[in-house]
């Protein structure tokens, strides 16, 4: 399918982007407000067109472990869920990070704690950007602010995931997942051929030919010295991401007296507030975070040094504004405004 | 194979000895860490021999979750994935669905398959996933030091049932084979033992059948 203008929901965009980006498999479990992802996939029947596998698992614990198994054969495998389901997936995610398996996980956040609410929220920020499960690991975390970005970030996720052999998280929320917007689709990227898989994932467990040693996918290391070496290697990988893969957007920041820092659907509200302020002659700019890990600390600090005030806007009780990654800003601006989401 | 052993073998063959049994090439040279008397070594060998005899070494993916056999990947010379405790059937489900021509097997303990992973076990079987699950039931949680497993027999002592398993406290041992046999998605389920040579031969035939079923 060529580039085309369409109207669709954020969740549907995720599903269609998975098909269009050559994803090999999707495993999921229903939960509001993201159930349309699997529903769209099931209705589209990509196994008849691109050959993509889609399966409804018995739980999120099963679906993330299906991602583990499938992705460890060197294929593009994804899942999606919302906050309570993502909590259940944390063990699987730390295994994926520990075994360095590329994959895509989408979280369409809702309010918590506990069963919480099905309204949008951004209160999984810490869980998403500080590992989430046990151990020292990071997910590359993208925060879409539109239906278009829901779609585009799926394509970007595969590049990053395989480049770094690391899970990628698209951290969305109920507002972006449920809202309908216009969207430009992209040309289909065919699923990898057998040769491409073997070239792009030489570490994959796709059946040991006589010409190589057996491939092993594991996060186990009984020798603590070797585990330490491995952890340094992981940290070096995350440092490289911080160096090379930070993404953000600056709107009206050049002449701004004040800037708003926000991501996802909060940044949409912030954008409107910025426009209203500008109409009144108040010079407000918007620093929109696109990657939450790696966080654009350096870039934000440069802007912060030249403004009178900063407003952090998010649908959580201050998780992003409390983030260590924002610490350099405190030097200039010690105050932040907080309000929990899901209401 | 160890060079000294290989050299000695060649000498013996020259002396007129005949080779009637040899280790399968599907097992690596790594020294197994299993306790003396444990059936894992035998069971590993049977699976490896079946893979060898079927000529599928280049087209197998094994999955061993947490448990005594978590290091099975060091012993089988085939592509292998280590899985989280209990999740091997889910892991294997996706391996097989995304690689339908590949032979996929899991190798799980009783705590793994019948306690923490019961849901994954039952649903994989009930979906009729075309894969082989090898369930090694030693009646305890071996790796963590011999605690009660779902299969621990009534009256049997373990680290967490030091006075014997009591039905009023711990319920009954879970009969997984019987349970799975009632599911319409299960194609072949059998209980075997490796306690003596006759049983070992029968167990091997069952493993062979379970692997051959993946050809359908
Ligand atoms: C989530 C989780 N819980 C607990 C453990 C600890 N653990 C490791 S092995 C094991 C028991 C394994 O017993 P079984 O599956 O019967 O295999 P065996 O060791 O007897 O071969 C447990 C509880 C773990 N690794 N992960």
């Amino acid at each position: 399918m060529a580039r085309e203008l369409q109207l669709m929901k954020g969740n549907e965009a995720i599903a269609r982007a998975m098909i269009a980006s050559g994803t090999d498999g999707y495993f999921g479990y229903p939960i509001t407000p993201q159930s349309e992802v699997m529903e769209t996939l099931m209705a589209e029947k990509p196994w008849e067109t691109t050959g993509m596998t889609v399966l409804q698992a018995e739980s999120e614990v099963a679906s993330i472990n299906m991602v583990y198994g499938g992705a460890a054969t060197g294929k593009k495998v994804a899942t999606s869920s919302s906050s309570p389901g993502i909590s259940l997936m944390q063990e699987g995610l730390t295994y994926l990070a520990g075994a360095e398996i590329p994959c895509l996980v989408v979280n369409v956040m809702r309010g918590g704690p506990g069963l919480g609410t099905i309204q949008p929220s951004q209160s999984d920020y810490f869980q998403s950007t500080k590992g989430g499960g046990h151990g020292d690991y990071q997910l590359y975390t993208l925060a879409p602010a539109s239906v278009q970005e829901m779609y585009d970030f799926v394509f970007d996720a595969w590049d990053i995931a395989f480049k770094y052999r690391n899970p990628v998280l698209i951290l969305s929320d109920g507002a972006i997942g449920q809202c309908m917007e216009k969207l430009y689709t992209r040309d289909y990227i065919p699923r990898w051929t057998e040769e491409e898989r073997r070239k792009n994932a030489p570490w994959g467990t796709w059946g040991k030919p006589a010409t190589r040693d057996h491939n092993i996918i594991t996060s186990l290391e009984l020798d603590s010295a070797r585990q330490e070496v491995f952890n340094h290697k992981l940290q070096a990988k995350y440092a490289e991401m911080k160096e090379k893969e930070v993404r953000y957007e600056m709107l009206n920041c050049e002449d701004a007296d004040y800037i708003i820092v926000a991501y996802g659907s909060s940044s949409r509200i912030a954008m409107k507030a910025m426009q209203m302020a500008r109409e009144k002659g108040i010079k407000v700019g918007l620093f929109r975070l696109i990657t939450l890990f790696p966080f654009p600390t350096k870039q934000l600090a440069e802007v912060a040094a030249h403004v009178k005030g900063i407003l952090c806007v998010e649908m959580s009780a201050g998780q992003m504004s409390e983030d260590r990654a924002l610490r350099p800003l405190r030097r200039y601006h010690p105050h932040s405004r907080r309000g929990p989401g899901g209401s | 194979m160890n060079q000294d052993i290989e050299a000695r073998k060649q000498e013996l063959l020259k002396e007129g000895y005949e080779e009637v049994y040899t280790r399968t090439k599907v097992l690596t040279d790594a020294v197994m860490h299993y306790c003396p008397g444990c059936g894992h070594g035998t069971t590993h060998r049977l699976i490896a021999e079946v893979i060898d005899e079927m000529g599928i070494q280049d087209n197998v993916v094994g999955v061993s979750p947490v448990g005594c056999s978590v290091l099975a990947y060091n012993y089988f010379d085939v592509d292998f994935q280590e899985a989280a405790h209990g999740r091997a059937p889910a892991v294997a489900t996706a391996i097989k669905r995304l690689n339908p021509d590949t032979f996929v097997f899991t190798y799980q303990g009783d705590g793994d398959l019948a306690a923490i992973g019961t849901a994954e076990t039952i649903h994989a079987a009930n979906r009729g996933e075309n894969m082989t699950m090898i369930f090694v039931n030693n009646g305890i949680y071996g790796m963590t030091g011999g605690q009660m497993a779902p299969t621990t027999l009534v009256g049997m002592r373990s680290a967490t049932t030091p006075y014997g398993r009591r039905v009023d406290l711990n319920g009954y041992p879970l009969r997984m084979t019987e349970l799975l046999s009632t599911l319409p998605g299960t194609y072949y389920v059998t209980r075997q033992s490796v306690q003596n040579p006759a049983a070992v031969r029968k167990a091997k035939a069952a493993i062979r059948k379970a692997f051959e079923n993946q050809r359908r």
Side-chain angles (χ1 to χ4, degrees):
Chain A
M1 200 202 296
R3 203 175 147 82
E4 226 178 69
L5 186 61
Q6 294 191 11
L7 181 70
M8 71 176 77
K9 269 191 181 189
N11 289 335
E12 198 185 332
I14 290 281
R16 291 185 187 279
M18 281 177 183
I19 300 171
S21 62
T23 303
D24 295 295
Y26 171 90
F27 300 91
Y29 188 82
I31 185 169
T32 310
Q34 67 76 55
S35 294
E36 295 87 353
V37 177
M38 188 163 44
E39 288 170 7
T40 304
L41 287 169
M42 290 297 186
E44 285 298 303
K45 297 193 279 188
W47 50 91
E48 290 180 0
T49 52
T50 71
M52 178 181 174
T53 299
V54 188
L55 181 67
Q56 179 168 337
E58 62 270 30
S59 70
E60 290 87 351
V61 174
S63 54
I64 194 69
N65 281 283
M66 288 173 182
V67 169
Y68 182 100
T73 70
K75 298 210 167 198
K76 295 180 184 173
V77 187
T79 185
S80 64
S81 186
S82 179
S83 310
I86 298 288
S87 289
L88 261 186
M89 290 184 189
Q90 292 304 323
E91 185 200 37
L93 282 166
T94 172
Y95 274 71
L96 280 154
E100 300 197 85
I101 304 175
C103 64
L104 169 61
V105 177
V106 181
N107 180 2
V108 183
M109 283 183 282
R110 59 191 246 179
L115 195 52
T117 150
I118 57 173
Q119 304 305 322
S121 166
Q122 294 178 320
S123 49
D124 301 349
Y125 178 92
F126 280 151
Q127 187 192 55
S128 311
T129 60
K130 307 294 169 197
H134 59 279
D136 280 323
Y137 73 94
Q138 294 285 352
L139 309 176
Y140 184 83
T141 306
L142 284 160
S146 64
V147 172
Q148 184 70 55
E149 283 188 342
M150 290 285 256
Y151 187 86
D152 291 340
F153 287 0
V154 172
F155 290 76
D156 301 343
W158 291 128
D159 294 339
I160 293 283
F162 278 86
K163 182 172 173 192
Y164 290 94
R165 275 192 68 177
N166 205 66
V168 172
L169 175 70
I170 293 182
L171 186 67
S172 179
D173 63 64
I176 305 289
Q178 290 297 324
C179 77
M180 271 191 140
E181 283 181 337
K182 67 176 193 295
L183 153 75
Y184 284 99
T185 60
R186 294 195 195 184
D187 287 338
Y188 271 43
I189 296 174
R191 285 174 53 235
W192 284 342
T193 60
E194 199 47 40
E195 290 67 44
E196 285 171 319
R197 174 198 11 189
R198 288 169 192 225
K199 188 174 132 288
N200 296 332
W203 43 264
T205 49
W206 30 262
K208 168 200 139 67
T211 48
R212 67 155 165 83
D213 278 348
H214 60 159
N215 279 343
I216 295 168
I217 296 291
T218 182
S219 59
L220 173 66
E221 180 52 73
L222 291 177
D223 179 336
S224 58
R226 291 225 298 256
Q227 180 68 30
E228 186 178 343
V229 170
F230 174 74
N231 269 313
H232 284 302
K233 183 187 144 202
L234 278 188
Q235 291 305 314
K237 175 163 88 175
Y238 305 141
E240 189 183 341
M241 285 181 182
K242 281 184 197 166
E243 198 56 47
K244 297 185 184 158
E245 311 294 348
V246 166
R247 290 176 64 178
Y248 56 93
E249 185 185 27
M250 290 197 287
L251 289 171
N252 294 332
C253 287
E254 311 78 41
D255 66 339
D257 288 329
Y258 304 94
I259 55 165
I260 307 176
V261 181
Y263 67 94
S265 57
S266 292
S267 70
R268 300 283 293 266
I269 298 163
M271 200 183 309
K272 188 73 197 168
M274 174 185 76
Q275 285 162 5
M276 289 162 72
R278 288 257 164 192
E279 277 161 24
K280 288 189 177 162
I282 309 168
K283 287 184 183 162
V284 174
L286 172 64
F287 192 102
R288 179 167 78 90
L289 308 169
I290 295 177
T291 51
L292 302 181
F293 180 86
F295 194 98
T297 303
K298 245 191 309 185
Q299 294 82 354
L300 181 54
E302 278 165 23
V303 179
H306 304 111
V307 297
K308 291 181 194 157
I310 293 179
L311 183 68
C312 289
V313 179
E314 58 180 320
M315 288 189 287
S316 88
Q319 295 187 25
M320 184 259 289
S321 57
E322 191 182 313
D323 193 336
R324 222 180 132 256
L326 279 161
R327 202 172 283 168
L329 273 62
R330 301 242 168 91
R331 193 159 14 125
Y332 311 110
H333 313 285
H335 305 297
S336 74
R337 176 94 179 76
R338 297 169 186 197
S343 49
Chain B
M1 196 181 289
N2 188 307
Q3 280 176 349
D4 296 346
I5 297 175
E6 182 58 27
R8 180 75 186 124
K9 185 176 124 187
Q10 292 308 326
E11 277 174 31
L12 289 170
L13 287 175
K14 270 193 214 126
E15 284 172 28
Y17 283 90
E18 191 190 341
E19 185 174 275
V20 293
Y21 176 78
T22 186
R23 265 184 75 195
T24 159
K25 65 179 189 303
V26 177
L27 288 179
T28 66
D29 285 342
V31 177
M32 290 186 187
H33 69 279
Y34 299 118
C35 306
C38 170
H40 274 313
T42 310
T43 313
H44 278 27
R45 200 193 76 218
L46 297 184
I47 295 169
E49 285 177 359
V50 164
I51 291 170
D52 203 358
E53 287 159 20
M54 287 173 71
I56 55 171
Q57 185 178 11
D58 60 353
N59 195 24
V60 175
V61 179
V63 185
S64 62
V66 176
C68 285
S69 48
V70 68
L71 290 167
Y73 54 69
N74 283 337
Y75 310 136
F76 286 98
D77 193 17
V78 300
D79 278 0
F80 227 97
Q81 296 188 18
E82 176 254 332
H85 196 15
R87 315 303 169 208
V91 170
T93 291
I95 299 174
K96 186 68 178 200
R97 292 222 176 201
L98 291 163
N99 304 273
D101 299 329
T102 299
F103 289 82
V104 180
F105 73 97
T106 69
Y107 190 102
Q108 305 172 250
D110 41 346
D112 189 87
L113 181 140
I116 196 167
T118 317
E120 284 79 3
T121 303
I122 287 178
H123 285 281
N126 202 45
R127 282 192 303 263
E129 299 296 346
N130 187 6
M131 62 199 205
T132 303
M133 292 163 71
I134 308 286
F135 171 25
V136 180
N137 176 3
N138 57 3
I140 48 154
Y141 284 44
M143 191 193 210
T144 40
Q147 297 86 359
M148 181 186 71
T151 45
T152 300
L153 300 176
V154 174
M156 187 173 143
R157 291 180 188 209
S158 75
T160 50
T161 52
Y163 308 106
R165 180 177 185 147
R166 276 171 52 180
V167 168
D168 59 342
L169 278 181
N170 311 113
Y172 296 93
L174 195 55
R175 297 169 73 89
M176 261 341 251
T177 312
E178 286 78 357
L179 200 154
L180 291 175
S181 72
T182 66
L183 302 176
T186 308
Y187 190 73
Y188 172 63
V189 56
T190 176
R191 179 186 283 120
Q192 300 292 338
S193 124
V194 290
Q195 90 215 19
N196 60 39
V200 168
R201 269 194 290 277
K202 274 181 68 194
K204 181 171 172 182
I207 293 170
R208 174 76 187 242
K209 190 168 172 189
F211 272 78
E212 290 286 353
N213 281 335
Q214 289 195 44
R215 288 197 202 272
R216 79 198 147 92

